[in-house]
Each structure stands twice: as structure tokens, then as C-alpha cells.
Amino acid sequence: MKILVCISKTPDTTAKIAFTDNNTKFDTAGVQWIINPNDEYYALVRAIELKEADASAVIHLVNVGGAESDAIIRKALALGGDEAIRVNAENLDSFGIASQIAHVAKENGYDLIFLGKETIDYNGSSVGGMVAELLDLPYISLATKFELNGTTATVTREIEGGEEICEVQLPVVVSCNKGMAEQRIPNMRGIMAARTKPLKVVEPVAADALTEIETFALPPAKAGVKLVEPDNVQELVRLLHEEAKVI
Amino acid sequence: MSVLIFIDINEEGTVKKTSLEALTYGSKLAQQLSVPAEGVVLAPVTEDLAALGKYGVTTIHQVQQEALKHFDAQAYSSAIAQVAEKTGATVLVFSNNTDGKALAPRLSARLKAGLVSGAVALPEAGAGFTVKKSVFSGKAFANIKINTPVKIITLNPNAFPVEPGEGAANVVPAEVSVSAPKVKVVSVNRQTADVPLAEAERVVSGGRGMKGPENWGILEDLAAALNAALACSRPVADAHWRPHNEHVGQTGGAIAPNLYVAVGISGAIQHLAGVNRSKVIVVINKDPEAPFFKAADYGIVGDLFEVVPKLTEAIKQFKS
Ligand SMILES: Cc1cc2nc3c(=O)[nH]c(=O)nc-3n(C[C@H](O)[C@H](O)[C@H](O)COP(=O)(O)OP(=O)(O)OC[C@H]3O[C@@H](n4cnc5c(N)ncnc54)[C@H](O)[C@@H]3O)c2cc1C
């Protein structure tokens, strides 16, 4: 079984969000880059668990990005990926990224393509669906559980207020959500092994950008908290009713 | 030319609240572009579809096919693409809910239509077509220009008010050809009969300060008094005190209710990332230095085990 896990590079969750060039670019000064948590904790770890259950399975990682991605790719290899492909292209929109991933997938042929449910920077939740469409494969989004029985997968996916259990034949594209797996920390053996695992850099194929970011903005600052004494909860109720008008 | 809005249906055949928001949003956009607003519905419906005209749609294309009985992103997007092509839709609108997140990207790739997901406002259609969306997990906004003739938008839940007016829609049957779905739905489990968290207008949320799952009763009482949905912070879901689907934040769900009551939650940046679009935030925490107070509108510094039951009583009294 061949599994492709898509990993993207995102600013660390505590990174300060600021913009430069007249609010047209994200300010990367001092930003620490990490593997997008949804890709790492859920997609990659579940793929590793599947490989642990089936020794013949192989995990390829794909990242679309510049050389700065290499550090997070090595970390993903240390966690348990077998080899990685970096498509050397930057600043693409989600369709551009999906086109590159779909191309890599077509060239190599995978039984399973896993991604995180969304990136924590652009919160698009788009690449998975696009990849599935470009490959004409079924797509299960927001998966919270994934079990494999031969070539049939039983997948639980989140729906509003509950969950849905579905069955699908491989190959399939799955976007992974909390519940799929638990975060792991790479160990020394993994880190040493990752140094010699293949990281192939390929050039992008031609793909159109369908959208472009014009400007960014920060939300308006909050006015500040109004504190109410703990033995005067009636005052809070009054404020919520009369001032905030939410009850 | 038209704006085509996807009408998403609950298992019991009723229209999802998020779809009413999408209908209102799509109709406003259609007005702005001087084109008709139309709807498309694929699942069996028990509601009177024509009545959705009060949200501004003039025509609703209803597809009724066995193959579309259950949700399958591939079959559904193929059906919507066919309706969009037949009706000459130039903008497609979805809710950024679980189905919209699966369908819109597929259609974007299929129709080569630029997609902005998680929109929080109507597009600026003047110079180009620019849509404001929430990025960096709610910590910022981006204005994104769509450069393609056909455009797709998914609207964030609770970002746009539902505004019923007058009118009835013309419901017309639509024929499409779709192959059998490759994803077979085995079962649907609703965890609660109440309002789904993402759609809830009021949310009561508990953190590690609650000490254990056995103490959740006081939050359930508060939520019941406020007619609110329940949520929690990540360590609470990780410790299995509460189900995963209640976990909000950067790695959990993102919500934007009118009222968010955070009880015994410190307000770490990753938690705020999922709730900072709430209109009004109330924080109850015994630590006056808890970071959540910086993001809150109202706060009580105190022991939650004393404050919450008193607050529930006060709300009940206020209501009666
Ligand atoms: C990559 C990444 C992603 C993450 N994603 C998320 C996410 O999606 N959602 C999320 O929530 N977290 C997330 N976290 C974790 C986050 O950093 C915090 O650890 C978490 O939000 C803390 O949860 P908490 O506030 O419930 O617990 P704590 O930090 O333990 O805070 C408990 C609070 O309760 C108060 N308290 C205790 N007892 C009482 C009492 N009797 N009365 C009143 N107040 C009391 C305390 O003063 C304290 O402020 C993420 C972390 C990382 C690194």
C-alpha cells in the first residue's frame, strides 16, 4: 500500500500576526515555522499507524514550497515518513498547490492520500477536495476515524452535530480531523534516520492561479473587559440583556 | 448569468440554518450584480421549498435522484456542476459547513472557478471581485480577488444575518446524470438533538478549570438556561471528559456565536483562535491574570463552582 501525506508549512501557533508592504504580505520576521498541526497530528500520525499495522506500506510526503520547507519535511520524515517530494514552488493559491499535488500523485500512484482538514494560516479547507477532483477520486472530508480492511476503508466523518460512518474503496482522498490519531514526538532514532531518507525536489508543472490575496487586515481592537463582582451576577445578566443585547 | 446557492438539508429533510444565511447572502450579492438568485437542492426535502423565496431566491432547481440520497462529495459536486452549467451560474455560494467544505473545492477544480472559503462579508464587486475572509485562525482577515469568470464562495456560519422578506420561489425539477456514489453512507449518528455547535448563537464552554467530567452538570444547566450549545477546550477533549466534536480552537472547530461564555478556560492563543470571532465573550475564571480577560467583553473573577450556579439562577429569574 502506498500512502501520500500532504504537509504544509505554517507559522507556529503562537506567532505574532503582522503584515508588511502596505498590508499586502505576511510579516515573516521572527516567525518560527512548523508542520501544519492538522497535517502532522492527524494525517501523518494516522498514516504511520497504518504502516505499523502493515509492514509493506510506504509513506510518501509531499510539500509544495521553497527550500525553507526542508526543515519541516525532515521532521515529518523523523516522525515516520519514508521519503519526501518537495515541489519547488512558492506563493501559489490553493488550486495551484492542489494541481502540483495531483500531478505528483498521478506520477506515482497512491492508494491513499491524506491531508489535514485545513491549514491554520489560510484556513482554506480546499486543497483536499481539489486534489480529489483533479484525480477523479472519492473524497471524504473532516475524517475523525479511519479503519482499513483490505482495500475497503471505513471512515467516520464529522457532520453538524454528529458524525457519519461511510465505506469507500481505495483509492481515496481523506482530509483528517481531530480524533484520527494522537500527536507524537519524534525520537532520536527517527531524527537520525530522517537525515538519510530521500527528499526529492521537483520543479512545478504549469498551473493557473485562480485567486490572489490583495490585502490583509487585523480585527479591530477590543474595548476592554467590563468586570462584574462574583456576588452580583444579576448585573452581568442586565449587561448581557441591555448593553450587549445577546439575551 | 445568475448566483446559484446550494441549499443544504438535514437528515430529517429540513433546511440547515447555515443555508438560510447562504440564501440571504447570495440573494444580496445577486441584487448587487443585477442577476437572479437561484437555489439548488439535491437531497429529499420535507419543507416547503417555495417558501425559501422569502430569502430572495426566485427559482429553485430540485434534483431528485436515488444516487443522491446520501451525501457524496463526488456525486453531489457533479450534479451541482451540471445545474450551474445549464443555468449559466457565474457565482456559486455554499455555507462553509461540513458539506460546503467538501463540495466547493471539488467544484472549483472542476469548473476552474476561483474559490474563497470562509467569507465573512459580501464581495466588493466594483473593481474586480474581492472577498473578505478570516485567516490565521481568526487572528486576521484577507481580501482575496477571484480572477476567473465563474466564482465560488463559502460563507462562514454566523457571519451573515438571515433576513426573511416576502416572496415565493418557483421550484423546478432539474435533470442531471450522475454515476453511483463511491462513498456508501453506513450510518448517521447525531450526538445531540440540539442546535449543532457551529450554528449555535450562544455557546457555553468549559476548560480544565472544571476539574473533571463529573462537574459538567453545572455547565449543562447554564447552557439550558441560555438555550446554548456546549463546547470545551482542547485538554478537556484530550482527556475524554467531553467528545471531540465539542473541542473548539485552532485544532478544533472554529465558531462565531453571538455569545460565548468561557468557564475555567485560560484563553491560550490556540483556544482564542477558534472563538475570537464571537460577538460577545464572557469569561469566568478565578485567576485575574488569565489571558482570556484581554479578549473578553465581560468577566467575573471568581470560583466557577460558586459563580456558575448563581448565574444560572439569575438567568432563569430574568427569563421568568
Ligand atoms: C498546536 C497547538 C494547537 C492547539 N489547539 C488548541 C485548540 O484548538 N483549542 C484549545 O482549547 N487549545 C488548544 N491548544 C492548547 C492550548 O495551548 C492550551 O493548552 C489550552 O487551551 C488550555 O486549556 P484550558 O484553558 O482549558 O486549561 P488551562 O490552561 O489549564 O486553564 C484552566 C483555567 O481554569 C482556571 N480555573 C481553574 N479552576 C478554577 C475555578 N475553580 N474557578 C474558575 N477558574 C478556574 C484557571 O485559572 C485557568 O485559567 C493547542 C496547543 C497547541 C500547541
Side-chain angles (χ1 to χ4, degrees):
Chain A
M1 185 175 53
K2 272 177 90 174
I3 310 172
L4 182 66
V5 180
C6 311
I7 54 169
S8 67
K9 165 178 139 280
T10 52
D12 179 70
T13 39
T14 55
K16 186 174 172 331
I17 305 302
F19 305 102
T20 61
D21 294 23
N22 233 344
N23 286 331
T24 56
K25 289 201 172 66
F26 173 58
D27 185 358
T28 56
V31 167
Q32 185 83 35
W33 297 99
I34 58 168
I35 311 175
N36 178 45
N38 293 309
D39 303 347
E40 178 188 334
Y41 305 177
Y42 312 140
L44 177 57
V45 178
R46 187 68 193 115
I48 294 167
E49 290 171 354
L50 291 172
K51 186 182 149 96
E52 284 165 352
D54 168 9
S56 71
V58 226
I59 301 173
H60 286 185
L61 308 167
V62 62
N63 167 266
V64 182
E68 326 75 64
S69 286
D70 288 352
I72 65 123
I73 298 174
R74 287 282 172 214
K75 184 184 173 195
L77 288 170
L79 279 162
D82 293 304
E83 54 179 271
I85 302 155
R86 175 165 65 78
V87 183
N88 193 24
E90 279 178 274
N91 301 326
L92 302 177
D93 74 340
S94 22
F95 182 73
I97 294 168
S99 305
Q100 304 308 329
I101 294 174
H103 180 74
V104 167
K106 263 187 207 147
E107 296 247 296
N108 299 306
Y110 295 97
D111 304 294
L112 260 176
I113 301 177
F114 273 179
L115 333 74
K117 67 163 180 172
E118 67 178 33
T119 57
I120 61 165
D121 47 8
Y122 295 108
N123 306 107
S125 221
S126 316
V127 173
M130 291 174 176
V131 168
E133 183 65 30
L134 292 170
L135 297 172
D136 195 22
L137 288 180
Y139 176 51
I140 300 184
S141 58
L142 304 169
T144 55
K145 280 194 197 90
F146 181 95
E147 297 302 333
L148 206 54
N149 188 353
T151 57
T152 308
T154 304
V155 192
T156 305
R157 87 170 182 118
E158 180 189 315
I159 57 169
E160 274 79 34
E163 57 181 34
E164 194 172 83
I165 300 174
C166 2
E167 258 175 30
V168 67
Q169 292 297 314
L170 304 190
V172 59
V173 180
V174 179
S175 91
C176 306
N177 199 358
K178 189 178 173 100
M180 281 286 267
E182 302 276 347
Q183 180 185 8
R184 290 189 182 186
I185 312 287
N187 57 29
M188 200 32 107
R189 228 178 92 211
I191 294 166
M192 297 306 287
R195 294 194 180 153
T196 54
K197 287 180 180 173
L199 192 173
K200 203 161 90 187
V201 179
V202 300
E203 290 308 311
V205 290
D208 301 324
L210 310 181
T211 61
E212 64 189 284
I213 298 180
E214 288 200 321
T215 51
F216 290 101
L218 292 172
K222 281 262 179 181
V225 61
K226 252 188 204 170
L227 289 179
V228 173
E229 286 305 315
D231 45 16
N232 192 10
V233 288
Q234 286 77 12
E235 173 62 3
L236 179 60
V237 176
R238 187 190 69 78
L239 287 167
L240 291 178
H241 177 63
E242 289 175 14
E243 193 177 81
K245 299 190 167 51
V246 288
I247 61 171
Chain B
M1 293 211 296
S2 68
V3 173
L4 185 66
I5 304 139
F6 175 64
I7 304 171
D8 204 357
I9 305 295
N10 292 307
E11 288 81 58
E12 55 286 5
T14 54
V15 178
K16 287 188 187 168
K17 179 194 155 219
T18 45
S19 281
L20 303 183
E21 294 169 354
L23 283 166
T24 312
Y25 177 93
S27 302
K28 288 256 154 82
L29 173 59
Q31 238 171 37
Q32 203 177 301
L33 301 172
S34 308
V35 299
E38 304 188 355
V40 55
V41 65
L42 307 177
V45 194
T46 54
E47 256 182 62
D48 175 18
L49 276 177
L52 295 180
K54 64 171 179 278
Y55 302 104
V57 273
T58 50
T59 307
I60 294 176
H61 304 273
Q62 184 174 26
V63 180
Q64 296 192 36
Q65 277 189 16
E66 192 55 32
L68 299 168
K69 204 163 158 230
H70 287 293
F71 182 79
D72 170 48
Q74 206 169 9
Y76 267 46
S77 55
S78 156
I80 296 168
Q82 292 171 54
V83 174
E85 274 159 4
K86 265 187 218 160
T87 58
T90 44
V91 186
L92 275 68
V93 177
F94 295 83
S95 168
N96 195 34
N97 61 7
T98 53
D99 288 354
K101 283 178 185 171
L103 294 171
R106 285 203 81 116
L107 281 152
S108 168
R110 188 180 177 114
L111 305 171
K112 295 289 173 292
L115 162 67
V116 174
S117 61
V120 294
L122 279 170
E124 300 279 341
F129 192 99
T130 306
V131 192
K132 183 176 178 183
K133 75 163 284 184
S134 157
V135 290
F136 295 101
S137 303
K139 288 179 263 181
F141 297 105
N143 295 301
I144 300 188
K145 193 168 154 215
I146 306 184
N147 291 323
T148 48
V150 180
K151 300 164 175 73
I152 305 182
I153 301 173
T154 70
L155 174 68
N156 259 354
N158 284 337
F160 204 78
V162 176
E163 278 177 29
E166 300 283 313
N170 192 11
V171 181
V172 296
E175 289 301 321
V176 296
S177 89
V178 287
S179 12
K182 292 189 198 150
V183 178
K184 188 174 129 214
V185 177
V186 182
S187 67
V188 178
N189 312 326
R190 283 268 185 184
Q191 257 126 13
T192 114
D194 309 333
V195 190
L197 182 54
E199 294 177 13
E201 286 177 12
R202 288 183 284 272
V203 173
V204 169
S205 188
R208 201 143 52 181
M210 290 297 295
K211 305 281 189 290
E214 66 283 1
N215 297 326
W216 236 262
I218 57 168
L219 282 196
E220 281 163 1
D221 292 346
L222 177 60
L226 283 170
N227 192 14
L230 283 167
C232 68
S233 68
R234 178 174 155 192
V236 166
D238 282 353
H240 305 289
W241 296 357
R242 300 296 298 175
H244 282 319
N245 64 319
E246 285 184 11
H247 158 199
V248 290
Q250 192 160 54
T251 44
I255 55 172
N258 285 332
L259 173 64
Y260 184 72
V261 185
V263 181
I265 304 178
S266 57
I269 193 160
Q270 299 90 354
H271 182 82
L272 289 177
V275 302
N276 53 13
R277 287 187 299 109
S278 308
K279 287 191 189 87
V280 174
I281 297 179
V282 175
V283 169
I284 301 170
N285 197 306
K286 66 177 180 190
D287 174 10
E289 302 296 322
F292 223 145
F293 285 116
K294 290 204 180 69
D297 299 280
Y298 302 100
I300 294 183
V301 179
D303 188 330
L304 68 92
F305 295 101
E306 286 162 26
V307 174
V308 172
K310 277 199 266 177
L311 180 59
T312 307
E313 270 320 299
I315 288 163
K316 280 191 194 154
Q317 255 173 31
F318 160 79
K319 282 196 166 166
S320 62

